[in-house]
Amino acid sequence: MVSSVKGEKPTRFGTGEEQSFSSTGPTGHRQRMRTRVLTAGAGSLADYELLEMLLFPGVPRRDTKPLAKALITHFGSLAAVLEAPAEALKAAGATRANAELLELVPLAADRLAAPKAPVRTDLGSWDKLLAYCAAHLAHAPTSFLHVLFLDSRNQLLADERFKTGERFETEGNPAPEGMSAPPPACVQGGAQVGLEKERIPVPQLVSSIMQRALALHACSLITVRLAGADVQPDRQLLHDAPLVQALLHSAPLLAVTMHDHVVLKGRRWRSFRHLEQQGW
């Protein structure tokens, strides 16, 4: 049948030449859905509408609402549809492209829910180590030994304090004259271990440090000491030598590398490794 209006070109219905209205049909419906999401947010969609939009890419030229409702009816819920295997989805009427896309949704959700990997401080060079110390340890109490536990990439896992007073002392090896000796104790995770009146010998302190290294899965460590106001870095390093030697001996037994022991005083620093290389 040919219909015409005076002054207008005749239109032949049923031949694909009729006027197209963008607000009707699957194309218009999809555009309205997208506009709705942009204006009101995806939270405004019902479960079947959300699934309907997820089905768009796999069914490019057909209304997906009936399929979305059929899948939810078949599996029982939107969550069940998204958790269904690809073969079950295809058996329920979904296209192969639909099934492949829907399988990705739970995976994407798991990735979003996974905790983000922590951004760790890189201490893989002297400049980076000294910059970290200047930023974080400049005003730390001198009565603490800081142990920097590192991963396999020399990134900081933890900076923990071990309270020892101004020096270390081993049994049968008294400290040189003129050094004060407040009773040491070990601090881990903010809690003080041991009684204040007890003196923790080097072997026990080394044991505490290595236990923390194992608990943190550390691959290496650096110890940092802040020298007191009346103590020169070289002198402090000399007094710390028994502990450093004990760590150098014990750490490799547990597959942990003892990189160095550093004494800081303001902008001045001394390294056990550097002085050792110089024949100190």
Side-chain angles (χ1 to χ4, degrees):
M1 177 182 296
V2 177
S3 174
S4 64
V5 179
K6 186 177 181 180
E8 295 183 358
K9 183 178 180 179
T11 301
R12 191 178 300 274
F13 291 97
T15 64
E17 298 178 9
E18 61 269 18
Q19 183 178 358
S20 175
F21 295 93
S22 61
S23 62
T24 61
T27 302
H29 174 64
R30 294 183 184 195
Q31 184 57 47
R32 290 196 302 273
M33 294 286 288
R34 295 187 181 100
T35 301
R36 178 177 166 187
V37 171
L38 291 174
T39 56
S44 66
L45 301 178
D47 284 357
Y48 79 88
E49 291 175 317
L50 183 58
L51 180 57
E52 182 183 349
M53 294 194 72
L54 290 173
L55 295 173
F56 283 173
V59 186
R61 294 183 179 84
R62 186 158 45 90
D63 186 4
T64 57
K65 183 184 295 185
L67 177 57
K69 290 185 174 181
L71 290 174
I72 290 179
T73 299
H74 178 80
F75 291 100
S77 67
L78 173 61
V81 173
L82 297 177
E83 293 172 357
E87 293 304 319
L89 290 170
K90 288 189 284 186
T95 67
R96 178 179 178 181
N98 287 149
E100 291 174 350
L101 177 61
L102 293 179
E103 277 192 319
L104 294 177
V105 175
L107 178 60
D110 290 342
R111 295 282 178 88
L112 290 172
K116 295 182 179 180
V119 179
R120 294 173 178 167
T121 303
D122 182 8
L123 299 181
S125 70
W126 268 106
D127 289 341
K128 293 176 181 179
L129 173 62
L130 295 177
Y132 174 84
C133 292
H136 300 278
L137 305 182
H139 304 291
T142 58
S143 58
F144 289 102
L145 173 77
H146 282 260
V147 182
L148 310 180
F149 297 96
L150 311 177
D151 64 13
S152 60
R153 297 181 179 180
N154 288 326
Q155 295 176 330
L156 183 64
L157 293 171
D159 175 352
E160 296 194 356
R161 302 182 306 174
F162 290 78
K163 184 173 176 60
T164 60
E166 292 185 355
R167 66 182 174 91
F168 299 106
E169 187 171 284
T170 56
E171 296 177 359
N173 183 20
E177 189 176 333
M179 294 296 295
S180 59
C186 174
V187 175
Q188 297 179 9
Q192 182 168 303
V193 180
L195 300 175
E196 291 186 358
K197 293 182 179 180
E198 293 181 353
R199 176 167 294 168
I200 301 177
V202 165
Q204 185 175 340
L205 185 55
V206 169
S207 177
S208 297
I209 292 173
M210 298 315 302
Q211 286 178 26
R212 290 299 298 149
L214 292 177
L216 293 167
H217 303 287
C219 295
S220 57
L221 58 86
I222 299 171
T223 51
V224 180
R225 163 77 82 177
L226 273 71
D230 57 343
V231 182
Q232 295 302 314
D234 287 340
R235 189 171 179 81
Q236 183 66 63
L237 194 61
L238 176 64
H239 290 300
D240 289 346
L243 174 70
V244 178
Q245 294 287 3
L247 285 170
L248 287 170
H249 173 74
S250 300
L253 301 177
L254 299 177
V256 177
T257 300
M258 170 66 178
H259 282 319
D260 207 342
H261 175 73
V262 181
V263 175
L264 302 174
K265 186 172 184 179
R267 296 185 178 182
R268 299 170 59 193
W269 59 272
R270 290 292 184 272
S271 158
F272 184 86
R273 291 287 194 187
H274 281 195
L275 293 181
E276 186 180 45
Q277 293 170 1
Q278 296 172 10
W280 174 75

